[in-house]
């Protein structure tokens, strides 16, 4: 986490070098509350990474809500094509400012960049498609369960022995998803929902689960990219470019292009800017806070999803959605904390660390 020890040390040294009369003045200011205000400001600055990740979660949930509005009048493929250039622009600007260059260590990095680009394409299409069938907050909640899926996949791909807590949290997340899906053979048929609505709801759940699985595999692929020296900005630029290219081909082949209205164009710009803002604040928070803190706080995206859902769509979440979201959120937070604790134990056991 970024700190400013030099500034603090200079300030403390300056106070110590002042005459006793000025020290008394400082003390009297502290008593009157001036010192408390300065301490609060310093505390906020020191923990600005926490606020940035909360802002990122809020903006990304807004991006999801705006994308849902777009999918009601435009095809999923066109929405992806129209919003991805903003991700490309943000990644290109950040990569340029840092002076990054494409990988130069052979073909393996490009193979993994191709794999992550395909995964991002599938993830965006299935996510936007799921918005057409279920509430945006439910899609966000199920998507966050990717943290659990990563832990499960690590047992098979990395051959890590499964931990009892991982199994418990995995079952907890599955129960949460089932509660959100509220299948009729468990909860009974709702009189207000027709059979076609129930099928559409299950289709939306299946698409959201596909999104979660894709995100989990994407996390594992990005780990491999990191080991090969691929910077996240280069990966993001490659992923968004390939995603935009592939969805443009699909949209053309299927004949789904439509000339957007002025309102749709403005909404597209707002959606793209929301994605840009979420991506930048996410990176800044990762540069200031540890990954565990970021992962735990980013689960607040679920809460913001319900807030935006009510603010933009006037949809009050059902008790099943709220309970399911609470279960999934709890499972995700506990999984992240369990992994963090396990890493700390390994570091303490390793004398080289």
């Amino acid at each position: 986490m970024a700190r400013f020890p030099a500034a603090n040390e200079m300030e403390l040294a300056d106070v110590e070098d002042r005459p006793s009369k000025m020290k008394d003045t400082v003390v009297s200011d502290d008593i009157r509350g001036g010192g408390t205000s300065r301490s609060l400001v310093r505390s906020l600055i020191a923990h600005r990474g926490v606020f940035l990740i909360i802002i990122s979660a809020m903006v990304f949930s807004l991006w999801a809500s705006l994308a849902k509005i777009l999918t009601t009048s435009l095809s999923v493929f066109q929405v992806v094509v129209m919003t991805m250039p903003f991700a490309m622009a943000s990644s290109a600007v950040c990569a340029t400012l840092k002076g990054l260059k494409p990988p130069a260590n052979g073909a393996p990095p490009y193979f993994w960049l191709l794999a992550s680009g395909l995964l991002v394409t599938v993830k965006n299409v299935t996510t936007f498609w799921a918005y057409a069938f279920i509430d945006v907050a439910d899609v966000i909640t199920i998507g966050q369960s990717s943290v659990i899926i990563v832990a499960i996949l690590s047992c098979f791909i990395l051959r890590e022995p499964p931990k009892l807590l991982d199994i418990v949290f995995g079952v907890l997340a599955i129960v949460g998803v089932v509660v959100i899906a509220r299948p009729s053979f468990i909860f009974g048929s709702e009189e207000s929902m027709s059979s076609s609505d129930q099928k559409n709801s299950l289709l939306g759940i299946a698409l959201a689960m596909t999104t979660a699985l894709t995100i989990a595999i994407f996390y594992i692929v990005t780990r491999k990219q990191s080991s090969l020296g691929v910077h996240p900005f280069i990966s993001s630029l490659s992923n968004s470019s390939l995603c935009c290219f592939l969805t443009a081909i699909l949209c053309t082949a299927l004949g789904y292009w439509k000339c957007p209205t002025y309102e749709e164009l403005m909404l597209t710009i707002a959606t793209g800017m929301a994605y840009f803002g979420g991506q930048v604040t996410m990176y800044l928070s990762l540069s200031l806070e540890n990954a565990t803190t970021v992962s735990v706080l980013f689960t607040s995206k679920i809460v913001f999803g319900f807030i935006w859902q009510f603010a933009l769509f006037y949809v009050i979440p059902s008790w099943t959605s709220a309970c399911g979201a609470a279960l999934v959120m709890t499972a995700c937070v506990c999984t992240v904390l369990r992994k963090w604790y396990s890493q700390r134990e390994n570091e303490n056991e390793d004398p080289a660390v």
Side-chain angles (χ1 to χ4, degrees):
M1 181 175 65
R3 298 178 59 204
F4 301 92
N8 292 339
E9 291 169 4
M10 290 175 62
E11 184 175 352
L12 290 174
D14 184 50
V15 171
E16 291 174 357
D17 292 340
R18 293 173 185 172
S20 59
K21 183 177 180 179
M22 294 190 68
K23 286 185 179 180
D24 294 339
T25 303
V26 173
V27 172
S28 63
D29 287 341
D30 289 343
I31 295 175
R32 287 195 298 267
T36 304
S37 300
R38 286 193 295 270
S39 299
L40 178 60
V41 172
R42 291 172 189 167
S43 178
L44 292 176
I45 293 175
H47 296 88
R48 61 192 181 279
V50 172
F51 296 97
L52 285 172
I53 189 58
I54 293 176
I55 292 173
S56 178
M58 180 180 66
V59 174
F60 266 127
S61 60
L62 174 61
W63 167 71
S65 301
L66 295 177
K68 179 178 176 64
I69 298 175
L70 279 174
T71 55
T72 60
S73 57
L74 299 174
S75 73
V76 170
F77 300 104
Q78 184 172 348
V79 173
V80 175
V81 174
M82 293 173 64
T83 55
M84 277 299 102
F86 291 90
M88 295 165 56
S90 61
S91 302
V93 169
C94 294
T96 302
L97 292 176
K98 292 186 68 67
L100 301 176
K101 296 181 179 179
N105 50 342
Y110 293 95
F111 169 79
W112 291 105
L113 284 173
L114 175 62
S116 63
L118 293 173
L119 289 170
V120 168
T121 303
V122 174
K123 186 264 293 184
N124 286 331
V125 171
T126 54
T127 300
F128 289 2
W129 198 3
Y131 292 151
F133 300 105
I134 59 177
D135 293 335
V136 63
D138 291 343
V139 178
I140 292 174
T141 300
I142 297 173
Q144 287 296 112
S145 64
S146 58
V147 176
I148 309 296
I149 300 176
V150 169
I152 296 174
L153 291 178
S154 297
C155 299
F156 296 96
I157 297 177
L158 303 179
R159 296 182 179 180
E160 298 176 352
K163 301 294 179 79
L164 177 61
L165 287 178
D166 287 337
I167 297 175
V168 172
F169 298 147
V171 172
L172 188 65
I174 293 173
V175 171
V177 173
V178 171
V179 172
I180 293 174
R182 51 186 180 275
S184 57
F185 61 86
I186 296 178
F187 294 89
S189 301
E190 297 184 16
E191 296 180 358
S192 59
M193 291 183 64
S194 62
S195 58
S196 60
D197 290 337
Q198 292 178 0
K199 291 180 180 179
N200 288 339
S201 177
L202 293 177
L203 177 58
I205 297 294
L207 289 169
M209 286 300 299
T210 303
T211 297
L213 177 61
T214 305
I215 294 174
I217 300 174
F218 172 77
Y219 285 157
I220 295 175
V221 170
T222 53
R223 287 184 188 175
K224 182 64 177 180
Q225 291 178 355
S226 179
S227 66
L228 295 174
V230 179
H231 195 277
F233 285 153
I234 297 297
S235 177
S236 178
L237 177 59
S238 173
N239 296 338
S240 55
S241 300
L242 183 60
C243 177
C244 187
F245 175 72
L246 292 177
T247 49
I249 292 177
L250 289 172
C251 193
T252 302
L254 297 173
Y256 285 164
W257 286 108
K258 172 188 172 184
C259 182
T261 62
Y262 175 79
E263 290 77 10
E264 291 170 343
L265 187 59
M266 292 296 101
L267 187 58
T268 299
I269 295 175
T271 304
M273 293 303 296
Y275 188 92
F276 174 85
Q279 193 174 39
V280 171
T281 50
M282 167 72 81
Y283 176 77
L284 291 175
S285 65
L286 285 170
S287 66
L288 296 169
E289 296 287 342
N290 60 67
T292 301
T293 302
V294 171
S295 298
V296 170
L297 292 177
F298 194 68
T299 57
S300 62
K301 180 181 177 182
I302 297 174
V303 178
F304 287 116
F306 284 108
I307 294 174
W308 288 120
Q309 178 177 284
F310 177 76
L312 298 177
F313 304 103
Y314 307 105
V315 175
I316 300 176
S318 62
W319 70 270
T320 52
S321 293
C323 293
L327 291 173
V328 173
M329 191 171 178
T330 301
C332 292
V333 172
C334 291
T335 299
V336 172
L337 293 177
R338 202 281 306 163
K339 291 174 64 178
W340 169 79
Y341 182 77
S342 178
Q343 291 174 357
R344 288 292 299 271
E345 280 189 333
N346 294 334
E347 291 176 359
N348 293 334
E349 293 175 359
D350 190 354
V353 177

